[in-house]
């Protein structure tokens, strides 16, 4: 069990190292300007050709299977295999989960059979962004066959399975794409829809029994059919018993399973039983001692020969792994002298093992890093730490330098401690880091430039908004003055009557004083005073309407709104012969707004209604009050005119749109009125009334009526 746990950790580490080597590559490529351009401009043949060759070179450089980019619809715009019959260019892979993950803005990873090449691979994806928007995805597909070829253990089977227990990597080819557990219908449907494993049948392994040992290990019994002899059609079917341990791979939906066969344990137990039985028979049957002794001796010799053969095979397997690994391994003593050098290091440094045995390992480092190597070796020997890792500059036989990552660990061999040195060339890693740093600097510079452009545009937009507001206020004031001009004739008529009466009362008062009738003179003077107050009331709304509003909202009583508007309109209404009907109960209705600006809106709506009814026999304006559920109060102004067409209703609030004749208006009144109501958090709209004519609706926020001083005194008493 301990050996299996250690082996499982090693196998899992192999897979994770293979995956981590490519995990960041899609993110690095997602910012490449050429790939961003080909996704945004897929019709450019020259641009696509450059992107295809760039991806082909990148694939050969990092030893990946394929690298390709897709647009936001999942269609491949450029791929490293563009020149092959199985080219991805033009193919749509939007059904793949790694594409949907990238479109959500996250990095994706996924194991599947290629839908085009039918070749196993692991996919890494990353979103491509332009101006903060996801425009596509970069996908890197890698081959995991090398890992599978390096795994070999005669006493166990090594598997990698996905979250659905489908075997995707196996030391047994006949177990590939088999399942460790039967799949449900839902799982099978999901796998088929994603085309993850193509047309593979996905049958489960013939596991006939599952159980748990006293030590908590999962025990399984598996019907195992192996090819027997040269004739592949013949199979030897046996029931094999294994214990199963597994470990998940970090940041993936895969896990590594190790099925350890119990046959060697059972075989050794059987041999021990045979030896014990032989000894018992030797004691019990002394007359057969010679025969039994010879049999035991022969059995022992065969056992030792078998053990020696197994040991030699294990040593050969370990030597093969060490000699063929892509990492440098060296064995040094506690003084730092080289005892062993694997072939990878011979090729990397350009030395032969015979030239370096007994030499200090630090001589292979640069002058600056030699003390560091001696210090780390001394620390590892003294502390016996599991791992000591550091980076150093190494020197080849031709005096050229290269960066390397070195790991030191101690081991007991032949009764004394040794230090294992693991060395990995990190030239490519540093090159990638430098490229990423350069890309980061370029990105920061572009962000700074874009920020400066946005700040300048924002300042310009702010200036334009201020100019727009100033122009709007001037248009509102101009509309007020235009209404005042229309009212001037009616107000002139209204002021002439009290002025004539004042002159008559004044003349009469003089005559009464001459006659000594002081009481009659006082009466005439009081009437003159009342007439002047009436004239002041006529002029006061005109002055208030003409001045600019301060644009502050307050509580407005609809009675005051009606009185203010009517004081401005009554002369014009009488002159045009128009009857206007206001609803009752306006004293108790309060809204949020500005009295002067609301008066301007009402006066404008009424004047428009008067002009619309010039040719109508019945000139009538009905003002209706609605209190729907919610926070708003609706003031509906309906006239008895011909109404508005559908086209006119759609454009009625647009600036300079008018249904009047040339010279009767600029078409700004309703546009300004709508802006006024909108600035008061309300809404102005128009609709065709079922009773005929046009109906304009003013929606304003409802306010509570203020508490009067009389009611406060009543509550206090």
């Amino acid at each position: 069990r301990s050996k299996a746990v250690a082996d499982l950790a090693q196998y899992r580490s192999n897979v994770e190292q293979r995956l981590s080597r490519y995990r960041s590559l899609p993110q690095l490529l997602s910012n490449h300007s050429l790939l961003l351009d080909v996704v945004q401009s897929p019709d450019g043949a020259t641009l696509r050709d450059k992107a295809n060759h760039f991806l082909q070179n990148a694939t050969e450089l990092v030893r990946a299977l394929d690298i390709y980019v897709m647009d936001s619809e999942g269609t491949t715009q450029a791929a490293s295999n563009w020149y092959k019959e199985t080219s991805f260019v033009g193919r749509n892979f939007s059904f793949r989960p790694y594409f949907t993950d990238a479109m959500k803005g996250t990095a994706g990873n996924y194991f599947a059979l290629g839908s085009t090449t039918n070749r196993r691979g692991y996919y890494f994806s990353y979103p491509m962004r332009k101006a903060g928007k996801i425009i596509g995805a970069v996908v890197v597909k890698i081959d995991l066959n090398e890992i599978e070829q390096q795994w070999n253990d005669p006493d166990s089977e090594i598997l990698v399975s996905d979250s659905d227990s489908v075997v995707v990597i196996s030391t047994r080819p006949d177990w590939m794409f088999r399942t460790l557990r039967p799949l449900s219908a839902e799982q099978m449907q999901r796998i088929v829809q994603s085309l993850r494993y193509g047309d593979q049948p996905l049958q489960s392994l013939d596991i006939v029994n599952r159980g748990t040992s006293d030590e908590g290990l999962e025990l399984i019994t598996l019907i195992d059919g192996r090819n027997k002899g040269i004739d592949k059609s013949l199979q030897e079917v046996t029931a094999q018993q294994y214990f199963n341990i597994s470990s998940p791979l970090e940041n993936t939906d895969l896990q590594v399973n190790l099925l350890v066969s119990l046959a060697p344990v059972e075989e050794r137990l059987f041999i021990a039983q045979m030896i014990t039985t032989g000894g018992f028979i030797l004691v019990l049957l002394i007359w057969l001692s010679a025969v039994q002794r010879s049999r035991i001796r022969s059995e022992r010799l065969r056992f030792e020969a078998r053990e020696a053969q197994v040991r030699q095979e294990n040593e050969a397997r370990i030597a093969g792994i060490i000699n063929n690994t892509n990492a440098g391994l060296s064995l040094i003593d506690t003084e730092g002298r080289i005892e062993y050098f694997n072939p990878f290091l011979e090729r990397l440094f350009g030395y032969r093992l015979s030239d370096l045995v007994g030499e200090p390992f630090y001589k292979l480092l640069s002058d600056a890093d030699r003390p560091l190597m001696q210090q780390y070796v001394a620390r590892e020997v003294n502390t016996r730490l599991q791992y000591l890792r550091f980076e150093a500059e190494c020197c080849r036989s031709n005096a050229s330098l290269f960066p390397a990552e070195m790991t030191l660990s101690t081991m007991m061999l032949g009764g004394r401690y040794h230090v294992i040195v693991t060395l990995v060339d990190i030239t490519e890693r540093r090159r990638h880091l430098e490229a990423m740093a350069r890309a980061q600097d370029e990105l920061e510079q572009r962000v700074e430039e874009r920020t400066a452009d946005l700040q300048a545009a924002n300042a310009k937009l702010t200036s334009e908004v201020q100019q727009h507001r100033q122009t709007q206020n001037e248009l509102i004031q101009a509309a007020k003055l235009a209404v005042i001009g229309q009212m001037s004739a009616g107000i002139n008529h209204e002021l002439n009557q009290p002025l004539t009466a004042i002159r008559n009362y004044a003349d009469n008062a003089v005559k009464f004083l001459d006659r000594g009738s002081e009481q009659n003179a006082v009466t005439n003077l009081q009437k003159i005073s009342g007439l002047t107050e009436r004239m002041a009331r006529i002029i006061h709304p005109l002055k208030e309407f003409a001045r600019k509003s301060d644009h502050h909202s307050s509580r407005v009583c609809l009675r005051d709104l009606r009185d203010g508007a009517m004081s401005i309109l009554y002369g014009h209404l009488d002159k045009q012969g128009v009857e206007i009907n206001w609803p009752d109960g306006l004293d108790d209705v309060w809204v949020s707004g500005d009295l002067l600006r609301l008066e301007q809106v009402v006066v404008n709506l009424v004047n428009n209604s008067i002009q619309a009814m010039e040719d109508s026999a019945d000139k009538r304006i009905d003002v209706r009050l609605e209190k729907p559920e919610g926070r708003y109060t609706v003031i509906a102004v309906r006239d008895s005119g011909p109404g508005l067409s559908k086209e006119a209703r759609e454009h009625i609030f647009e600036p300079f749109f008018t249904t009047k004749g040339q010279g009767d208006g600029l078409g700004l009144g309703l546009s300004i009125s709508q802006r006024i109501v909108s600035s008061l958090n309300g809404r102005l709209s128009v609709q065709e009334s079922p009773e005929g004519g046009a109906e304009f609706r003013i929606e304003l926020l409802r306010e509570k009526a203020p508490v009067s001083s009389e009611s406060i005194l009543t509550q206090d008493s």
Side-chain angles (χ1 to χ4, degrees), residues 658-672:
T658 179
T659 58
K660 304 172 186 177
Q662 186 175 5
D664 292 337
L666 297 176
L668 294 173
L670 287 176
S671 176
I672 294 173

Side-chain angles (χ1 to χ4, degrees), residues 514-534:
D514 292 340
R515 297 175 182 175
S517 179
E518 296 180 355
Q519 182 62 38
N520 291 333
V522 169
T523 301
N524 282 4
L525 291 175
Q526 290 176 346
K527 290 182 179 179
I528 290 173
S529 176
L531 289 172
T532 58
E533 290 180 0
R534 179 184 175 187

Side-chain angles (χ1 to χ4, degrees), residues 277-448:
T277 302
F280 178 76
I281 294 176
L282 180 63
V283 175
L284 184 64
L285 303 174
I286 193 63
W287 59 275
L288 293 176
S289 60
V291 177
Q292 294 297 331
R293 193 178 301 114
S294 177
R295 181 183 302 174
I296 292 173
R297 186 182 300 110
S298 62
E299 288 289 338
R300 184 181 296 112
L301 291 175
R302 285 197 299 270
F303 177 77
E304 291 176 353
R306 187 163 53 250
E307 287 293 322
Q309 181 181 359
V310 171
R311 184 166 56 253
Q312 291 175 358
E313 291 176 354
N314 289 336
E315 292 176 354
R317 182 169 60 254
I318 294 173
I321 293 174
I322 293 175
N323 293 334
N324 293 286
T325 184
N326 288 327
L329 293 175
S330 178
L331 189 67
I332 63 177
D333 60 16
T334 55
E335 300 298 327
R337 291 187 295 269
I338 297 173
E339 296 180 344
Y340 174 74
F341 229 53
N342 75 335
F344 180 82
L345 285 182
E346 291 181 346
R347 295 191 300 270
L348 190 61
F349 283 98
Y351 290 107
R352 296 173 58 184
L353 175 61
S354 58
D355 299 332
L356 294 175
V357 171
E359 295 292 330
F361 189 89
Y362 65 80
K363 287 187 175 180
L364 298 176
L365 306 183
S366 64
D367 295 339
D369 291 327
R370 288 180 180 180
L372 182 65
M373 176 67 180
Q374 292 174 318
Q375 177 184 352
Y376 274 100
V377 170
R379 184 187 303 179
E380 178 64 26
V381 171
N382 294 330
T383 60
R384 304 286 193 271
L385 295 176
Q386 186 68 26
Y387 292 106
L388 273 178
R389 182 174 297 166
F390 62 96
E391 293 184 3
E393 294 290 333
C394 297
C395 182
R396 296 187 177 92
S397 60
N398 59 5
S400 62
L401 298 178
F402 66 93
E405 181 183 76
M406 305 178 66
T407 304
L408 305 181
S409 60
T410 55
M411 66 172 293
M412 180 69 74
L413 184 64
R416 61 189 184 92
Y417 281 103
H418 299 262
V419 179
I420 299 177
V421 181
T422 304
L423 187 145
V424 179
D425 185 358
I426 60 172
T427 303
E428 288 295 328
R429 184 193 305 176
R430 286 195 178 178
R431 189 175 301 157
H432 288 315
L433 291 177
E434 292 172 357
M436 291 178 63
R438 289 195 300 271
Q440 180 70 20
D441 294 340
E442 293 175 0
L443 179 61
E444 291 178 356
Q445 182 179 359
R446 288 160 61 186
V447 169
E448 292 177 357

Side-chain angles (χ1 to χ4, degrees), residues 182-203:
L183 297 179
S184 64
E186 180 182 355
Q187 289 176 307
M188 184 66 74
Q189 182 179 5
R190 174 167 45 79
I191 294 173
V192 171
Q193 289 177 349
S194 66
L195 300 178
R196 187 170 190 178
Y197 299 117
D199 56 356
Q200 296 293 331
L202 301 181
Q203 297 177 352

Side-chain angles (χ1 to χ4, degrees), residues 56-68:
Q56 180 183 357
N57 294 333
T59 302
E60 295 173 354
L61 180 63
V62 300
R63 297 181 181 178
L65 276 181
D66 297 296
I67 303 177
Y68 51 101

Side-chain angles (χ1 to χ4, degrees), residues 436-680:
M436 291 178 63
R438 289 195 300 271
Q440 180 70 20
D441 294 340
E442 293 175 0
L443 179 61
E444 291 178 356
Q445 182 179 359
R446 288 160 61 186
V447 169
E448 292 177 357
E449 294 174 354
R450 183 58 178 163
T451 302
D453 294 341
L454 290 176
Q455 289 175 347
N458 187 40
K460 182 178 179 181
L461 181 60
T462 302
S463 175
E464 292 178 353
V465 169
Q466 292 176 351
Q467 294 176 2
H468 174 72
R469 288 178 178 173
Q470 182 179 357
T471 303
Q472 177 182 342
N473 294 335
E474 292 175 355
L475 288 174
I476 292 174
Q477 190 65 17
K480 288 183 179 181
L481 297 177
V483 174
I484 291 174
Q486 295 176 0
M487 297 185 301
S488 61
I491 293 176
N492 182 45
H493 173 74
E494 292 297 327
L495 292 179
N496 281 335
Q497 291 180 351
L499 286 174
T500 302
I502 288 173
R503 184 168 56 252
N504 293 332
Y505 282 128
D507 293 341
N508 291 336
V510 171
K511 292 179 180 180
F512 283 135
L513 290 175
D514 292 340
R515 297 175 182 175
S517 179
E518 296 180 355
Q519 182 62 38
N520 291 333
V522 169
T523 301
N524 282 4
L525 291 175
Q526 290 176 346
K527 290 182 179 179
I528 290 173
S529 176
L531 289 172
T532 58
E533 290 180 0
R534 179 184 175 187
M535 293 172 64
R537 286 195 301 273
I538 294 173
I539 297 174
H540 177 73
L542 185 61
K543 294 194 301 179
E544 291 296 323
F545 188 76
R547 73 179 179 87
K548 290 186 177 181
S549 172
D550 56 4
H551 299 290
H552 290 299
S553 297
S554 61
R555 286 188 296 184
V556 175
C557 179
L558 293 190
R559 179 200 62 193
D560 296 337
L561 177 61
R562 176 198 62 190
D563 294 344
M566 289 302 297
S567 66
I568 298 171
L569 291 168
Y570 71 91
H572 191 45
L573 291 169
D574 291 342
K575 181 179 179 180
Q576 297 295 329
V578 177
E579 176 187 357
I580 184 169
N581 300 315
W582 289 84
D584 298 329
L586 296 181
D587 295 353
D588 300 327
V589 182
W590 295 72
V591 296
S592 174
D594 179 274
L595 180 59
L596 294 179
R597 290 193 286 170
L598 288 178
E599 285 180 0
Q600 180 180 354
V601 173
V602 173
V603 168
N604 185 51
L605 294 180
V606 173
N607 279 332
N608 286 345
S609 297
I610 293 173
Q611 293 178 359
M613 296 186 297
E614 286 183 351
D615 299 331
S616 299
D618 180 18
K619 299 181 178 181
R620 186 180 74 259
I621 298 175
D622 294 324
V623 182
R624 190 174 73 257
L625 188 64
E626 298 179 5
K627 296 181 180 179
E629 294 183 1
R631 300 173 54 197
Y632 287 88
T633 295
V634 179
I635 305 171
V637 180
R638 184 183 66 84
D639 59 53
S640 58
L644 296 170
S645 64
K646 181 179 179 181
E647 180 182 1
R649 289 197 302 272
E650 292 176 353
H651 303 281
I652 193 68
F653 294 111
E654 295 180 2
F656 304 106
F657 178 83
T658 179
T659 58
K660 304 172 186 177
Q662 186 175 5
D664 292 337
L666 297 176
L668 294 173
L670 287 176
S671 176
I672 294 173
S673 298
Q674 188 183 50
R675 292 179 180 271
I676 291 174
V677 176
S678 178
S679 67
L680 299 175

Side-chain angles (χ1 to χ4, degrees), residues 29-62:
L29 294 175
S30 66
N31 294 322
H32 199 282
S33 59
L34 177 60
L35 302 183
L36 292 172
D37 292 340
V38 78
V39 171
Q40 287 189 310
S41 304
D43 296 330
T46 303
L47 184 62
R48 175 176 292 182
D49 185 65
K50 290 182 179 179
N52 285 334
H53 283 85
F54 172 77
L55 293 178
Q56 180 183 357
N57 294 333
T59 302
E60 295 173 354
L61 180 63
V62 300

